[in-house]
Amino acid sequence: MAIKVSSASGATMSSGVHRRPRLMLRPIRPEDIGTIIRKHKTYPSPVRIVGCDYSQARCVGGDGGTLVDTSALDKILEFGEGFVRAQAGVRIGTLVRALAERGFELPLTPEIANISLGAVAVTTLPQASFQDGLAQMSACVMAMKIVTPQGKELTVTQREAELLRVLRSSFGLLGVVHEVTLRVVPLRPVKIDYRAYSLEEFTARYAEISAAPGALRLHLAPFSDRVTVERRTFDVGHTTSRSGIWQIRNSVMRNVLPAFGASVGSVLATPGLRNAILTGVHKALGATQAPAARGVVVYAHEWMRDLPAEPWKARYTKSLWAFAAAGYPRVLADYFAFCRGYFKEHRYRPNVVTAASRMHRDRSSLFSVSYNEPMLSLEPSSDGAQGWADFLIDFNDFAASLGGVPTFNQSRALKAEHIEKAFGERARLFKALRRRTDALNRLDNSYFANLLG
Ligand SMILES: Cc1cc2nc3c(=O)[nH]c(=O)nc-3n(C[C@H](O)[C@H](O)[C@H](O)COP(=O)(O)OP(=O)(O)OC[C@H]3O[C@@H](n4cnc5c(N)ncnc54)[C@H](O)[C@@H]3O)c2cc1C
């Protein structure tokens, strides 16, 4: 039977996002999940699931109910021909490294290792993508085993394409995932190039930048008017040599940024000092963008980094909205102006880099941010110090006014009107489906009830 971890009322999970479950359980067998869901009196509603607990939005939300931690369901079950099958509590970092040892990788690889496969299957994790149809992590999911709101076992494969599309955006509201099958491909060397532009140059060359092949990641510096374009292309002939400069960049991302976040938050109080340090971080990143850094070749698992096991220790947090690729230079100009205006008025600016990714069109999940067309994100990040929460409230309204699309798990401080504007009919369809599949409201929580109405 499931291990009972805690029964403290008002418990707080390690991320520091207050969730208030009555019970916290850590099942050791998939069958335990069905038992928990069926026993309404012993295990109060809502039954909510937590994987790595790295979502900064309140999508886990315990709400005085039963929180189910999947971390003990941590086995990779099968390395098959073109696929891998694993339990929901396996961390993506563990899986990606095990695949790399065997010469394989997922079609997409995120930059952080702290994501459970359960979250990969049911949340929105947009990545810098290489091709149409594969822009969110859940697009790599070929099948999943879930426990329904009635406590019944259900296996869903690509034969039930519509059901899979809805489940890939279901956040534990239509069932609890305990096993996931993901597509795998042979390891591909990726060539990485950087080029820095002023906003004006970026705008002038945008058509050419976006037409060239490969995945795009941007590093944005609104206060020094800089857009650094990181282009990732498959190095099929493996023509370029590997370079030590990548290790420096990785080290900046892995060690410097989190430590920097912690020190800024706890040691430095004045905005002036913070901003000086922020400029230092931009300079450090700039070193990796020197001519010597061009044409570096890496494998995807090498760009992945582990944040601390307890999320609050990372002191590093971000929010994400996506915008139509067609009008992105205009969005960037408005964002730079927004950041400057906000700083002038409130003396606050996010003190870690703002990143962005280009996502190809991907309809494999209902709440895909690039469901209708190719998109580019804006991902301001911060150490979470005072001022960040207020900044996000204004940033959300700014993003919504430009037709932006948020996510339920990576965009913080959302309002119902943001969801209605971005998803409209899709949100209503999901809500109707939820009502029909979970009439007793076993899996819903206040976060989703508020946003979906
Ligand atoms: C500093 C920082 C950097 C980040 N960088 C990246 C990045 O580079 N790339 C990227 O893709 N993301 C990134 N993220 C986003 C983050 O990784 C994800 O939002 C998060 O990790 C999702 O995984 P999790 O296991 O922590 O999910 P959790 O937060 O534990 O859960 C997320 C949602 O999924 C549901 N859920 C989880 N498991 C199951 C299950 N088994 N069955 C049903 N429902 C389930 C939960 O109830 C919840 O609604 C970053 C986040 C932060 C804070």
Side-chain angles (χ1 to χ4, degrees):
M1 187 43 207
I3 306 172
K4 187 165 151 182
V5 175
S6 160
S7 61
S9 175
T12 306
M13 289 297 292
S14 57
S15 64
V17 180
H18 215 51
R19 307 192 198 288
R20 295 185 179 278
R22 174 121 48 98
L23 293 173
M24 284 200 234
L25 306 172
R26 191 163 172 260
I28 50 175
R29 302 172 311 167
E31 308 86 274
D32 298 335
I33 297 171
T35 310
I36 293 167
I37 293 183
R38 285 189 300 272
K39 291 193 172 178
H40 291 234
K41 288 198 179 132
T42 318
Y43 305 114
S45 297
V47 176
R48 294 298 302 160
I49 315 303
V50 63
C52 288
D53 196 24
Y54 247 96
S55 294
Q56 305 286 292
R58 297 170 67 93
C59 57
V60 168
D63 282 7
T66 307
L67 199 57
V68 177
D69 169 357
T70 57
S71 60
L73 301 172
D74 61 354
K75 292 180 192 55
I76 301 178
L77 302 166
E78 184 183 2
F79 292 96
E81 192 75 27
F83 71 89
V84 64
R85 195 163 58 84
Q87 289 186 307
V90 172
R91 291 162 82 249
I92 191 111
T94 309
L95 183 75
V96 163
R97 283 162 196 146
L99 285 170
E101 280 170 19
R102 290 162 177 80
F104 291 96
E105 64 182 9
L106 299 172
L108 292 168
T109 303
E111 292 191 11
I112 71 159
N114 314 49
I115 307 176
S116 63
L117 293 189
V120 165
V122 301
T123 71
T124 310
L125 298 168
Q127 307 299 319
S129 62
F130 291 91
Q131 64 184 83
D132 275 350
L134 259 180
Q136 262 100 174
M137 287 309 299
S138 62
C140 307
V141 173
M142 303 163 69
M144 53 179 109
K145 288 188 180 169
I146 69 166
V147 182
T148 68
Q150 292 70 39
K152 293 201 179 116
E153 182 75 27
L154 180 68
T155 301
V156 183
T157 70
Q158 288 176 117
R159 279 193 292 275
E160 297 96 8
E162 284 308 313
L163 180 53
L164 204 52
R165 192 200 314 272
V166 175
L167 285 173
R168 287 192 187 114
S169 283
S170 58
F171 301 91
L173 296 166
L174 298 177
V176 179
V177 179
H178 66 80
E179 192 182 300
V180 184
T181 304
L182 297 130
R183 252 178 78 189
V184 300
V185 293
L187 270 183
R188 299 160 295 187
V190 177
K191 190 173 144 193
I192 308 212
D193 268 298
Y194 293 98
R195 184 144 300 184
Y197 302 93
S198 67
L199 180 60
E200 195 182 335
E201 286 164 351
F202 175 82
T203 304
R205 303 186 67 173
Y206 181 66
E208 175 199 330
I209 290 168
S210 50
L216 292 180
R217 187 110 171 111
L218 310 182
H219 306 276
L220 309 170
F223 293 87
S224 44
D225 186 39
R226 197 163 59 155
V227 181
T228 302
V229 177
E230 177 182 323
R231 182 181 299 282
R232 302 172 180 177
T233 46
F234 295 124
D235 192 33
V236 195
H238 208 341
T239 51
T240 332
S241 63
R242 293 161 72 76
S243 154
I245 198 80
W246 179 259
Q247 265 84 44
I248 301 173
R249 192 244 192 210
N250 245 1
S251 173
V252 169
M253 301 305 279
R254 204 191 298 265
N255 307 312
V256 181
L257 282 185
F260 157 76
S263 66
V264 167
S266 51
V267 183
L268 301 176
T270 64
L273 276 177
R274 249 182 237 155
N275 297 337
I277 288 203
L278 179 59
T279 309
V281 168
H282 276 296
K283 278 200 183 132
L285 280 172
T288 71
Q289 293 153 16
R294 301 224 173 110
V296 173
V297 170
V298 297
Y299 290 97
H301 63 94
E302 293 174 292
W303 67 54
M304 186 173 253
R305 61 191 195 277
D306 290 277
L307 298 177
E310 289 161 305
W312 63 269
K313 283 193 182 155
R315 291 291 189 96
Y316 173 34
T317 172
K318 68 168 195 174
S319 196
L320 181 154
W321 282 69
F323 304 85
Y328 193 69
R330 182 74 254 155
V331 170
L332 266 196
D334 288 353
Y335 178 64
F336 281 24
F338 168 78
C339 288
R340 288 176 185 156
Y342 194 91
F343 183 67
K344 216 168 160 188
E345 193 175 343
H346 304 283
R347 309 308 293 167
Y348 177 84
R349 58 164 155 157
N351 52 9
V352 186
V353 282
T354 295
S357 297
R358 193 245 317 258
M359 281 79 64
H360 287 76
R361 190 167 183 243
D362 178 357
R363 289 189 165 236
S364 59
S365 56
L366 194 66
F367 294 132
S368 158
V369 292
S370 54
Y371 193 87
N372 290 323
E373 57 191 314
M375 304 287 274
L376 270 138
S377 59
L378 274 181
E379 304 171 29
S381 45
S382 159
D383 67 341
Q386 205 181 355
W388 171 238
D390 287 343
F391 173 85
L392 286 180
I393 292 170
D394 284 14
F395 173 68
N396 283 350
D397 289 339
F398 159 81
S401 73
L402 294 181
V405 179
T407 71
F408 288 94
N409 53 313
Q410 293 200 58
S411 318
R412 303 186 57 174
L414 288 178
K415 292 189 269 197
E417 66 207 55
H418 299 140
I419 296 299
E420 171 58 28
K421 186 160 188 247
F423 298 112
E425 198 51 43
R426 275 182 279 156
R428 288 191 284 278
L429 190 141
F430 184 82
K431 190 174 126 186
L433 188 72
R434 233 208 68 71
R435 282 223 182 99
R436 290 178 65 159
T437 51
D438 185 13
L440 296 178
N441 235 2
R442 190 70 174 126
L443 306 179
D444 203 5
N445 65 4
S446 58
Y447 175 74
F448 286 101
N450 289 339
L451 290 182
L452 288 165

